[in-house]
Coordinates of all heavy atoms in Angstrom, one line a residue:
M156 N 17.8 -14.2 -19.6 CA 16.8 -13.1 -19.6 C 17.5 -11.8 -19.8 O 18.5 -11.5 -19.1 CB 16.0 -13.2 -18.3 CG 14.9 -12.2 -18.2 SD 13.8 -12.3 -16.8 CE 13.0 -13.8 -17.2
S157 N 17.0 -11.0 -20.6 CA 17.7 -9.7 -20.9 C 17.5 -8.7 -19.8 O 16.6 -8.8 -19.0 CB 17.1 -9.1 -22.2 OG 15.8 -8.6 -22.0
N158 N 18.3 -7.7 -19.8 CA 18.2 -6.6 -18.8 C 16.9 -5.9 -18.9 O 16.4 -5.4 -17.9 CB 19.4 -5.7 -18.9 CG 20.7 -6.3 -18.3 OD1 20.6 -7.2 -17.5 ND2 21.8 -5.8 -18.7
L159 N 16.4 -5.7 -20.1 CA 15.2 -5.1 -20.4 C 14.0 -5.8 -19.7 O 13.2 -5.1 -19.0 CB 14.9 -5.0 -21.9 CG 13.6 -4.2 -22.3 CD1 13.6 -2.8 -21.7 CD2 13.4 -4.2 -23.8
K160 N 14.0 -7.1 -19.7 CA 13.0 -7.9 -19.0 C 13.1 -7.7 -17.5 O 12.1 -7.6 -16.8 CB 13.0 -9.4 -19.4 CG 12.6 -9.6 -20.8 CD 12.6 -11.1 -21.1 CE 12.2 -11.4 -22.6 NZ 12.3 -12.8 -22.9
H161 N 14.3 -7.7 -17.0 CA 14.6 -7.5 -15.6 C 14.0 -6.1 -15.2 O 13.3 -6.0 -14.1 CB 16.1 -7.6 -15.2 CG 16.6 -8.9 -15.3 ND1 17.5 -9.4 -14.4 CD2 16.5 -9.9 -16.3 CE1 17.8 -10.7 -14.7 NE2 17.2 -10.9 -15.9
T162 N 14.3 -5.1 -16.0 CA 13.9 -3.8 -15.7 C 12.3 -3.7 -15.7 O 11.7 -3.1 -14.8 CB 14.4 -2.8 -16.7 OG1 15.8 -2.8 -16.6 CG2 14.0 -1.4 -16.4
F163 N 11.7 -4.4 -16.7 CA 10.3 -4.4 -16.7 C 9.7 -5.0 -15.5 O 8.7 -4.5 -14.9 CB 9.8 -5.1 -18.0 CG 8.3 -5.3 -18.0 CD1 7.4 -4.3 -18.2 CD2 7.8 -6.6 -17.6 CE1 6.1 -4.5 -18.2 CE2 6.4 -6.8 -17.6 CZ 5.5 -5.8 -17.9
L164 N 10.2 -6.2 -15.1 CA 9.6 -6.9 -13.9 C 9.9 -6.1 -12.6 O 9.0 -6.0 -11.8 CB 10.3 -8.3 -13.8 CG 9.8 -9.3 -14.9 CD1 10.5 -10.6 -14.8 CD2 8.3 -9.5 -14.7
L165 N 11.0 -5.4 -12.5 CA 11.2 -4.6 -11.3 C 10.2 -3.4 -11.3 O 9.7 -3.0 -10.3 CB 12.6 -4.1 -11.3 CG 13.7 -5.1 -10.8 CD1 15.1 -4.5 -10.9 CD2 13.4 -5.5 -9.4
T166 N 10.0 -2.8 -12.5 CA 9.0 -1.7 -12.6 C 7.6 -2.3 -12.2 O 6.9 -1.6 -11.5 CB 9.0 -1.2 -14.0 OG1 10.3 -0.7 -14.3 CG2 8.0 0.0 -14.1
F167 N 7.3 -3.5 -12.6 CA 6.1 -4.1 -12.3 C 5.9 -4.2 -10.8 O 4.8 -3.9 -10.2 CB 6.0 -5.5 -12.9 CG 4.7 -6.2 -12.6 CD1 3.6 -6.0 -13.3 CD2 4.8 -7.2 -11.6 CE1 2.4 -6.7 -12.9 CE2 3.6 -7.9 -11.3 CZ 2.4 -7.6 -12.0
I168 N 6.9 -4.5 -10.1 CA 6.9 -4.7 -8.6 C 6.7 -3.3 -8.0 O 6.0 -3.1 -7.0 CB 8.1 -5.4 -8.1 CG1 8.1 -6.8 -8.6 CG2 8.2 -5.4 -6.6 CD1 6.8 -7.6 -8.3
F169 N 7.4 -2.3 -8.5 CA 7.2 -0.9 -7.9 C 5.8 -0.4 -8.0 O 5.3 0.2 -7.1 CB 8.2 0.1 -8.6 CG 9.6 -0.1 -8.2 CD1 10.5 -0.7 -9.0 CD2 10.0 0.4 -7.0 CE1 11.8 -0.8 -8.7 CE2 11.3 0.2 -6.6 CZ 12.2 -0.4 -7.4
F170 N 5.2 -0.7 -9.1 CA 3.9 -0.1 -9.4 C 3.1 -1.0 -10.4 O 3.6 -1.3 -11.4 CB 4.0 1.3 -9.9 CG 2.7 2.0 -10.0 CD1 2.1 2.6 -8.9 CD2 2.0 2.1 -11.2 CE1 0.9 3.3 -8.9 CE2 0.8 2.8 -11.2 CZ 0.3 3.4 -10.1
I171 N 1.9 -1.4 -10.0 CA 1.2 -2.3 -10.8 C -0.2 -1.8 -11.0 O -0.8 -1.2 -10.1 CB 1.1 -3.8 -10.2 CG1 0.4 -4.7 -11.2 CG2 0.5 -3.8 -8.9 CD1 0.5 -6.2 -10.7
T172 N -0.8 -2.0 -12.2 CA -2.2 -1.6 -12.4 C -3.0 -2.9 -12.6 O -2.6 -3.7 -13.5 CB -2.3 -0.7 -13.6 OG1 -1.6 0.5 -13.4 CG2 -3.8 -0.3 -13.8
L173 N -3.9 -3.2 -11.8 CA -4.7 -4.4 -11.9 C -6.1 -4.0 -12.5 O -6.6 -2.9 -12.1 CB -4.9 -5.0 -10.5 CG -3.7 -5.5 -9.8 CD1 -4.0 -6.0 -8.4 CD2 -3.0 -6.5 -10.6
T174 N -6.6 -4.8 -13.3 CA -7.9 -4.5 -13.9 C -8.9 -5.6 -13.4 O -8.6 -6.8 -13.6 CB -7.9 -4.4 -15.4 OG1 -6.9 -3.4 -15.8 CG2 -9.2 -4.1 -16.0
S175 N -10.0 -5.2 -12.8 CA -10.9 -6.2 -12.3 C -11.8 -6.7 -13.5 O -11.7 -6.2 -14.6 CB -11.8 -5.5 -11.3 OG -12.7 -4.6 -11.9
A176 N -12.6 -7.6 -13.2 CA -13.5 -8.2 -14.2 C -14.5 -7.2 -14.7 O -15.0 -7.4 -15.8 CB -14.2 -9.4 -13.6
F177 N -14.7 -6.1 -14.0 CA -15.6 -5.1 -14.4 C -15.0 -4.0 -15.2 O -15.6 -3.0 -15.5 CB -16.3 -4.5 -13.2 CG -17.1 -5.5 -12.4 CD1 -16.6 -6.0 -11.2 CD2 -18.3 -6.1 -12.9 CE1 -17.3 -7.0 -10.5 CE2 -19.0 -7.0 -12.2 CZ -18.4 -7.5 -11.0
G178 N -13.7 -4.1 -15.4 CA -12.9 -3.1 -16.2 C -12.5 -1.9 -15.4 O -12.0 -1.0 -16.0
Q179 N -12.6 -2.0 -14.1 CA -12.2 -0.9 -13.3 C -10.7 -1.1 -13.0 O -10.2 -2.2 -12.8 CB -13.0 -0.9 -12.0 CG -14.4 -0.6 -12.2 CD -15.2 -0.8 -10.9 OE1 -14.7 -1.5 -9.9 NE2 -16.4 -0.3 -10.8
S180 N -10.0 0.1 -13.0 CA -8.6 0.0 -12.7 C -8.3 0.3 -11.3 O -8.8 1.3 -10.7 CB -7.9 1.0 -13.6 OG -6.5 1.0 -13.4
L181 N -7.4 -0.5 -10.7 CA -7.0 -0.3 -9.3 C -5.5 -0.2 -9.3 O -4.8 -1.0 -9.7 CB -7.4 -1.5 -8.4 CG -6.9 -1.6 -7.0 CD1 -7.4 -0.4 -6.2 CD2 -7.2 -2.9 -6.4
Q182 N -5.0 0.9 -8.8 CA -3.5 1.2 -8.7 C -3.0 0.8 -7.3 O -3.6 1.3 -6.3 CB -3.2 2.6 -9.1 CG -3.5 2.9 -10.5 CD -3.2 4.3 -11.0 OE1 -2.9 5.1 -10.1 NE2 -3.2 4.5 -12.3
V183 N -1.9 0.0 -7.3 CA -1.4 -0.5 -6.0 C 0.1 -0.2 -6.0 O 0.8 -0.5 -6.9 CB -1.7 -2.0 -5.9 CG1 -1.1 -2.5 -4.6 CG2 -3.1 -2.3 -6.1
N184 N 0.6 0.4 -4.9 CA 2.0 0.5 -4.7 C 2.5 -0.7 -4.0 O 2.2 -0.9 -2.8 CB 2.3 1.8 -3.8 CG 2.0 3.0 -4.6 OD1 2.4 3.1 -5.8 ND2 1.4 4.0 -4.0
L185 N 3.3 -1.5 -4.7 CA 3.8 -2.8 -4.1 C 5.1 -2.6 -3.5 O 5.9 -1.7 -3.7 CB 3.9 -3.8 -5.2 CG 2.5 -4.2 -5.9 CD1 2.8 -5.1 -7.0 CD2 1.6 -4.8 -4.9
P186 N 5.5 -3.6 -2.6 CA 6.8 -3.6 -2.0 C 7.9 -3.7 -3.2 O 7.6 -4.2 -4.3 CB 6.8 -4.8 -1.2 CG 5.4 -5.0 -0.8 CD 4.6 -4.6 -2.1
T187 N 9.1 -3.3 -2.8 CA 10.2 -3.4 -3.8 C 11.2 -4.5 -3.3 O 11.2 -4.9 -2.2 CB 10.9 -2.0 -3.9 OG1 11.4 -1.7 -2.6 CG2 10.0 -0.9 -4.4
T188 N 12.0 -4.9 -4.3 CA 13.0 -5.9 -4.0 C 14.4 -5.3 -4.2 O 14.6 -4.3 -4.8 CB 12.9 -7.1 -4.9 OG1 13.1 -6.7 -6.2 CG2 11.5 -7.8 -4.8
N189 N 15.5 -5.9 -3.6 CA 16.8 -5.4 -3.7 C 17.6 -6.2 -4.8 O 18.8 -6.2 -4.8 CB 17.6 -5.5 -2.4 CG 17.8 -6.9 -2.0 OD1 17.1 -7.9 -2.4 ND2 18.8 -7.1 -1.1
G190 N 16.8 -6.8 -5.8 CA 17.4 -7.5 -6.9 C 16.3 -7.7 -7.9 O 15.2 -7.4 -7.7
P191 N 16.7 -8.3 -9.0 CA 15.8 -8.6 -10.1 C 14.7 -9.6 -9.8 O 14.9 -10.5 -9.0 CB 16.6 -9.1 -11.3 CG 17.9 -9.5 -10.7 CD 18.1 -8.8 -9.4
V192 N 13.5 -9.4 -10.3 CA 12.4 -10.3 -10.2 C 12.2 -11.0 -11.5 O 12.2 -10.3 -12.6 CB 11.1 -9.6 -9.8 CG1 9.9 -10.5 -9.8 CG2 11.2 -9.0 -8.4
Y193 N 12.2 -12.3 -11.5 CA 12.1 -13.1 -12.8 C 10.7 -13.5 -13.2 O 10.4 -13.7 -14.3 CB 13.0 -14.3 -12.7 CG 14.5 -14.0 -12.5 CD1 15.2 -14.8 -11.6 CD2 15.1 -13.0 -13.1 CE1 16.6 -14.6 -11.4 CE2 16.5 -12.7 -12.8 CZ 17.2 -13.5 -12.0 OH 18.5 -13.3 -11.8
K194 N 9.9 -13.7 -12.2 CA 8.5 -14.3 -12.5 C 7.6 -13.8 -11.4 O 7.9 -13.6 -10.3 CB 8.6 -15.8 -12.4 CG 7.3 -16.5 -12.7 CD 7.2 -16.9 -14.1 CE 5.9 -17.7 -14.3 NZ 5.5 -17.8 -15.6
T195 N 6.3 -13.5 -11.8 CA 5.3 -13.1 -10.9 C 4.1 -14.0 -11.2 O 3.8 -14.3 -12.4 CB 4.9 -11.7 -11.1 OG1 4.4 -11.4 -12.4 CG2 6.0 -10.7 -10.8
I196 N 3.4 -14.4 -10.2 CA 2.1 -15.2 -10.3 C 1.1 -14.6 -9.4 O 1.4 -14.4 -8.2 CB 2.3 -16.7 -10.0 CG1 3.3 -17.3 -11.0 CG2 1.0 -17.4 -10.0 CD1 3.6 -18.7 -10.7
L197 N -0.1 -14.2 -9.9 CA -1.1 -13.7 -9.1 C -2.2 -14.7 -8.8 O -2.7 -15.4 -9.7 CB -1.8 -12.5 -9.8 CG -3.0 -11.9 -9.2 CD1 -2.7 -11.3 -7.8 CD2 -3.7 -10.8 -10.1
D198 N -2.4 -15.0 -7.5 CA -3.5 -15.8 -7.1 C -4.7 -14.9 -6.9 O -4.9 -14.3 -5.8 CB -3.2 -16.6 -5.8 CG -4.3 -17.5 -5.3 OD1 -5.4 -17.4 -5.8 OD2 -4.0 -18.3 -4.4
S199 N -5.6 -14.8 -7.9 CA -6.7 -13.9 -7.8 C -7.7 -14.2 -6.8 O -8.5 -13.4 -6.3 CB -7.3 -13.7 -9.2 OG -7.8 -15.0 -9.6
T200 N -7.8 -15.5 -6.4 CA -8.7 -15.9 -5.4 C -8.3 -15.3 -4.0 O -9.2 -14.8 -3.3 CB -8.8 -17.5 -5.3 OG1 -9.1 -18.0 -6.6 CG2 -9.8 -17.9 -4.3
S201 N -7.1 -15.4 -3.7 CA -6.6 -15.0 -2.3 C -6.1 -13.5 -2.4 O -5.9 -12.9 -1.3 CB -5.5 -15.9 -1.8 OG -4.4 -15.8 -2.6
G202 N -5.8 -13.0 -3.6 CA -5.2 -11.7 -3.7 C -3.8 -11.6 -3.3 O -3.2 -10.6 -2.9
I203 N -3.1 -12.8 -3.5 CA -1.6 -12.9 -3.2 C -0.8 -12.9 -4.5 O -1.2 -13.6 -5.4 CB -1.3 -14.1 -2.4 CG1 -2.1 -14.2 -1.1 CG2 0.2 -14.2 -2.1 CD1 -1.8 -13.1 -0.1
L204 N 0.2 -12.0 -4.5 CA 1.1 -12.0 -5.7 C 2.4 -12.6 -5.2 O 3.0 -12.2 -4.3 CB 1.4 -10.5 -6.0 CG 2.4 -10.3 -7.2 CD1 1.8 -10.8 -8.5 CD2 2.8 -8.9 -7.3
Y205 N 2.7 -13.7 -5.9 CA 4.0 -14.4 -5.7 C 5.0 -13.9 -6.6 O 4.8 -13.8 -7.8 CB 3.8 -15.9 -5.8 CG 2.8 -16.5 -4.8 CD1 1.5 -16.6 -5.1 CD2 3.3 -16.9 -3.6 CE1 0.6 -17.1 -4.2 CE2 2.4 -17.5 -2.7 CZ 1.1 -17.6 -3.0 OH 0.2 -18.1 -2.0
I206 N 6.2 -13.7 -6.1 CA 7.3 -13.2 -6.9 C 8.6 -14.1 -6.7 O 8.7 -14.6 -5.6 CB 7.7 -11.7 -6.7 CG1 8.2 -11.5 -5.2 CG2 6.5 -10.8 -7.0 CD1 8.7 -10.1 -4.9
C207 N 9.4 -14.3 -7.7 CA 10.6 -15.0 -7.5 C 11.7 -14.3 -8.3 O 11.4 -13.6 -9.3 CB 10.5 -16.5 -7.9 SG 10.3 -16.8 -9.7
G208 N 12.9 -14.5 -7.9 CA 14.1 -13.8 -8.6 C 15.3 -13.9 -7.8 O 15.5 -14.9 -7.0
Q209 N 16.2 -12.9 -8.0 CA 17.5 -12.9 -7.3 C 17.5 -11.7 -6.4 O 18.0 -10.7 -6.6 CB 18.6 -12.8 -8.4 CG 20.0 -12.9 -7.8 CD 21.0 -12.8 -8.9 OE1 20.7 -12.6 -10.1 NE2 22.3 -12.8 -8.5
F210 N 16.9 -11.9 -5.2 CA 16.8 -10.9 -4.2 C 16.9 -11.5 -2.8 O 16.6 -12.7 -2.7 CB 15.5 -10.0 -4.3 CG 14.2 -10.8 -4.4 CD1 13.6 -11.2 -3.2 CD2 13.6 -11.2 -5.5 CE1 12.4 -12.0 -3.2 CE2 12.5 -11.9 -5.6 CZ 11.9 -12.3 -4.4
T211 N 17.2 -10.7 -1.8 CA 17.3 -11.2 -0.4 C 16.4 -10.4 0.5 O 16.2 -10.8 1.6 CB 18.7 -11.1 0.1 OG1 19.2 -9.8 0.0 CG2 19.6 -12.1 -0.7
Q212 N 15.8 -9.3 0.0 CA 14.9 -8.5 0.8 C 13.7 -8.0 0.0 O 13.9 -7.7 -1.2 CB 15.6 -7.3 1.4 CG 16.7 -7.6 2.4 CD 17.3 -6.4 3.0 OE1 17.4 -5.3 2.3 NE2 17.8 -6.4 4.2
V213 N 12.6 -7.9 0.6 CA 11.4 -7.2 0.0 C 11.0 -6.1 1.0 O 10.8 -6.4 2.2 CB 10.3 -8.3 -0.2 CG1 9.1 -7.6 -0.8 CG2 10.8 -9.5 -1.0
T214 N 10.9 -4.9 0.5 CA 10.6 -3.8 1.4 C 9.2 -3.2 1.0 O 9.0 -2.7 -0.1 CB 11.6 -2.7 1.2 OG1 12.9 -3.3 1.5 CG2 11.4 -1.6 2.2
P215 N 8.2 -3.2 2.0 CA 6.9 -2.6 1.8 C 7.1 -1.1 1.6 O 8.1 -0.5 2.1 CB 6.2 -2.9 3.0 CG 6.9 -4.1 3.6 CD 8.3 -4.0 3.3
Q216 N 6.2 -0.4 1.0 CA 6.3 1.0 0.8 C 6.4 1.8 2.1 O 7.1 2.7 2.2 CB 5.1 1.5 0.0 CG 5.0 1.0 -1.5 CD 6.2 1.6 -2.3 OE1 6.6 2.7 -2.2 NE2 6.8 0.7 -3.1
A217 N 5.6 1.3 3.1 CA 5.7 1.9 4.4 C 6.1 0.9 5.4 O 5.3 0.3 6.2 CB 4.3 2.5 4.8
G218 N 7.4 0.6 5.4 CA 7.8 -0.4 6.4 C 9.3 -0.8 6.2 O 10.0 -0.2 5.4
S219 N 9.7 -1.7 7.0 CA 11.1 -2.1 7.1 C 11.3 -3.3 6.1 O 10.4 -4.1 5.9 CB 11.5 -2.6 8.5 OG 11.4 -1.5 9.4
P220 N 12.5 -3.5 5.6 CA 12.8 -4.7 4.8 C 12.5 -6.0 5.5 O 12.7 -6.2 6.7 CB 14.3 -4.6 4.5 CG 14.7 -3.1 4.8 CD 13.7 -2.7 5.8
V221 N 12.0 -6.9 4.7 CA 11.7 -8.3 5.1 C 12.7 -9.2 4.4 O 12.8 -9.2 3.2 CB 10.2 -8.7 4.9 CG1 9.9 -10.1 5.3 CG2 9.3 -7.7 5.5
S222 N 13.4 -10.1 5.1 CA 14.3 -11.0 4.5 C 13.5 -12.2 3.8 O 12.7 -12.9 4.4 CB 15.2 -11.7 5.6 OG 16.1 -10.7 6.1
R223 N 13.8 -12.3 2.5 CA 13.2 -13.4 1.7 C 14.2 -13.7 0.6 O 14.7 -12.8 -0.1 CB 11.9 -13.0 1.0 CG 10.7 -12.8 2.0 CD 10.3 -14.1 2.6 NE 9.1 -13.9 3.4 CZ 9.1 -13.6 4.7 NH1 10.3 -13.5 5.3 NH2 8.0 -13.5 5.4
N224 N 14.7 -14.9 0.6 CA 15.7 -15.4 -0.4 C 15.1 -15.9 -1.7 O 14.7 -17.0 -1.8 CB 16.6 -16.4 0.2 CG 17.6 -15.8 1.1 OD1 18.0 -14.7 1.0 ND2 17.9 -16.6 2.2
G225 N 14.9 -15.0 -2.7 CA 14.5 -15.4 -4.0 C 13.0 -15.7 -4.2 O 12.6 -15.8 -5.4
I226 N 12.2 -15.7 -3.2 CA 10.8 -16.0 -3.4 C 10.0 -15.4 -2.3 O 10.4 -15.4 -1.1 CB 10.5 -17.5 -3.6 CG1 9.0 -17.7 -4.0 CG2 10.8 -18.3 -2.3 CD1 8.8 -19.1 -4.5
A227 N 8.9 -14.7 -2.6 CA 8.1 -14.0 -1.6 C 6.6 -14.0 -2.0 O 6.3 -14.1 -3.2 CB 8.6 -12.6 -1.3
A228 N 5.8 -13.7 -1.1 CA 4.3 -13.5 -1.3 C 3.9 -12.2 -0.8 O 4.3 -11.8 0.3 CB 3.5 -14.7 -0.6
I229 N 3.2 -11.5 -1.6 CA 2.7 -10.1 -1.2 C 1.2 -10.1 -1.2 O 0.5 -10.5 -2.2 CB 3.2 -9.1 -2.3 CG1 4.8 -9.1 -2.3 CG2 2.7 -7.7 -2.0 CD1 5.4 -8.3 -3.4
D230 N 0.6 -9.7 -0.1 CA -0.8 -9.5 0.1 C -1.2 -8.2 -0.6 O -0.9 -7.1 -0.1 CB -1.2 -9.6 1.6 CG -2.7 -9.5 1.8 OD1 -3.4 -9.1 0.9 OD2 -3.1 -10.0 2.9
L231 N -2.0 -8.3 -1.7 CA -2.4 -7.1 -2.4 C -3.4 -6.2 -1.6 O -3.6 -5.1 -1.9 CB -2.9 -7.4 -3.8 CG -1.8 -8.1 -4.7 CD1 -2.5 -8.4 -6.0 CD2 -0.6 -7.1 -4.9
S232 N -4.1 -6.8 -0.7 CA -5.1 -6.1 0.1 C -4.4 -5.1 1.1 O -5.0 -4.1 1.4 CB -6.1 -7.0 0.8 OG -5.5 -7.7 1.8
T233 N -3.2 -5.5 1.5 CA -2.5 -4.6 2.5 C -1.2 -4.1 1.9 O -0.5 -3.3 2.6 CB -2.2 -5.4 3.8 OG1 -1.4 -6.6 3.4 CG2 -3.5 -5.9 4.4
N234 N -0.8 -4.6 0.7 CA 0.5 -4.2 0.1 C 1.7 -4.6 1.0 O 2.7 -3.8 1.1 CB 0.6 -2.8 -0.3 CG -0.5 -2.5 -1.3 OD1 -0.8 -3.3 -2.1 ND2 -1.0 -1.3 -1.3
T235 N 1.6 -5.7 1.8 CA 2.7 -6.1 2.7 C 3.1 -7.5 2.3 O 2.5 -8.3 1.6 CB 2.2 -6.2 4.1 OG1 1.1 -7.0 4.2 CG2 1.8 -4.8 4.6
V236 N 4.3 -7.8 2.7 CA 4.9 -9.2 2.5 C 4.2 -10.1 3.6 O 4.1 -9.8 4.7 CB 6.4 -9.1 2.8 CG1 7.0 -10.5 2.5 CG2 7.1 -8.1 1.8
T237 N 3.8 -11.2 3.1 CA 3.1 -12.2 4.0 C 4.1 -12.9 4.9 O 5.3 -12.8 4.6 CB 2.3 -13.2 3.2 OG1 3.2 -14.1 2.6 CG2 1.3 -12.6 2.3
S238 N 3.7 -13.6 5.9 CA 4.5 -14.3 6.8 C 5.1 -15.6 6.1 O 6.0 -16.2 6.7 CB 3.8 -14.7 8.1 OG 2.7 -15.5 7.8
W239 N 4.6 -16.0 5.0 CA 5.0 -17.2 4.3 C 6.5 -17.0 3.9 O 6.9 -16.0 3.2 CB 4.2 -17.5 3.1 CG 4.6 -18.7 2.3 CD1 4.6 -20.0 2.6 CD2 5.3 -18.6 1.0 NE1 5.1 -20.8 1.6 CE2 5.5 -19.9 0.6 CE3 5.6 -17.6 0.1 CZ2 6.1 -20.3 -0.6 CZ3 6.2 -17.9 -1.1 CH2 6.5 -19.2 -1.5
D240 N 7.3 -18.0 4.2 CA 8.7 -18.0 3.8 C 9.1 -19.4 3.3 O 9.1 -20.3 4.1 CB 9.6 -17.6 5.0 CG 11.1 -17.4 4.6 OD1 11.5 -17.7 3.5 OD2 11.8 -16.9 5.5
A241 N 9.4 -19.5 2.0 CA 9.7 -20.8 1.4 C 11.0 -21.3 1.9 O 11.3 -22.5 1.7 CB 9.7 -20.7 -0.1
G242 N 11.9 -20.5 2.4 CA 13.2 -21.0 2.9 C 14.2 -21.3 1.8 O 15.1 -22.1 2.1
S243 N 14.1 -20.6 0.7 CA 15.0 -20.8 -0.4 C 16.4 -20.3 0.0 O 16.5 -19.4 0.8 CB 14.5 -20.1 -1.6 OG 15.5 -20.1 -2.6
N244 N 17.4 -21.0 -0.4 CA 18.8 -20.5 -0.1 C 19.5 -19.9 -1.3 O 20.7 -19.8 -1.2 CB 19.6 -21.7 0.5 CG 19.8 -22.8 -0.5 OD1 19.3 -22.8 -1.6 ND2 20.4 -23.9 0.0
N245 N 18.8 -19.6 -2.4 CA 19.4 -19.1 -3.5 C 18.4 -18.4 -4.4 O 17.2 -18.4 -4.0 CB 20.1 -20.2 -4.3 CG 21.3 -19.7 -5.1 OD1 21.4 -18.5 -5.5 ND2 22.2 -20.6 -5.5
Q246 N 18.8 -17.9 -5.5 CA 17.8 -17.3 -6.4 C 16.8 -18.3 -7.0 O 17.1 -19.5 -7.0 CB 18.5 -16.6 -7.6 CG 19.3 -17.5 -8.5 CD 20.1 -16.7 -9.5 OE1 20.1 -15.5 -9.6 NE2 20.9 -17.5 -10.3
V247 N 15.6 -17.9 -7.3 CA 14.6 -18.7 -7.8 C 14.2 -18.2 -9.2 O 13.9 -17.1 -9.4 CB 13.3 -18.7 -6.9 CG1 12.2 -19.6 -7.5 CG2 13.7 -19.2 -5.5
W248 N 14.3 -19.1 -10.2 CA 14.1 -18.7 -11.6 C 12.7 -18.9 -12.1 O 12.2 -18.2 -13.0 CB 15.0 -19.5 -12.5 CG 16.5 -19.1 -12.4 CD1 17.4 -19.7 -11.5 CD2 17.1 -18.1 -13.1 NE1 18.6 -19.0 -11.7 CE2 18.4 -18.0 -12.6 CE3 16.7 -17.1 -14.0 CZ2 19.4 -17.1 -13.1 CZ3 17.6 -16.2 -14.5 CH2 18.9 -16.2 -14.0
A249 N 11.9 -19.8 -11.5 CA 10.6 -20.1 -11.9 C 9.7 -20.7 -10.8 O 10.3 -21.2 -9.8 CB 10.6 -21.1 -13.1
M250 N 8.4 -20.6 -11.0 CA 7.5 -21.1 -10.0 C 6.5 -22.0 -10.8 O 6.2 -21.7 -11.9 CB 6.7 -20.0 -9.3 CG 7.6 -19.1 -8.4 SD 6.6 -17.9 -7.5 CE 6.4 -16.6 -8.8

């Protein structure tokens, strides 16, 4: 994966624009990671954004870093890292 893709995905995590089914735009300040994010998956039913990559911490905009090794879940309604921890011991390339 090129550095440009890594930069794009990190930028996506810093700030995302979601568009609802009605065409309304909702801007959300998401937590940041201390390394590259390789993949994101949005569960639109639960409002959870799953991210994976080469990171060990996810930091909410207003909060302390949360330890997560390569995979994390972010609750978009609160912009916080969920309590779910997959227990990965290395980087995660895909979900």
Side-chain angles (χ1 to χ4, degrees):
M156 185 173 289
S157 72
N158 285 338
L159 180 59
K160 288 181 182 178
H161 289 225
T162 302
F163 170 76
L164 288 173
L165 284 175
T166 302
F167 177 80
I168 295 305
F169 283 105
F170 189 82
I171 183 173
T172 301
L173 300 175
T174 304
S175 73
F177 302 104
Q179 298 170 340
S180 181
L181 171 66
Q182 295 180 346
V183 181
N184 289 317
L185 294 176
T187 59
T188 63
N189 67 340
V192 172
Y193 301 140
K194 179 93 173 164
T195 61
I196 296 176
L197 175 62
D198 180 348
S199 59
T200 304
S201 66
I203 302 294
L204 178 68
Y205 295 92
I206 61 173
C207 71
Q209 187 178 359
F210 54 84
T211 58
Q212 292 182 332
V213 182
T214 306
Q216 293 295 321
S219 300
V221 178
S222 293
R223 292 290 185 270
N224 284 327
I226 190 165
I229 300 167
D230 184 337
L231 295 179
S232 67
T233 60
N234 296 330
T235 58
V236 180
T237 69
S238 61
W239 176 73
D240 186 351
S243 170
N244 62 1
N245 208 339
Q246 65 190 354
V247 178
W248 289 92
M250 294 183 277

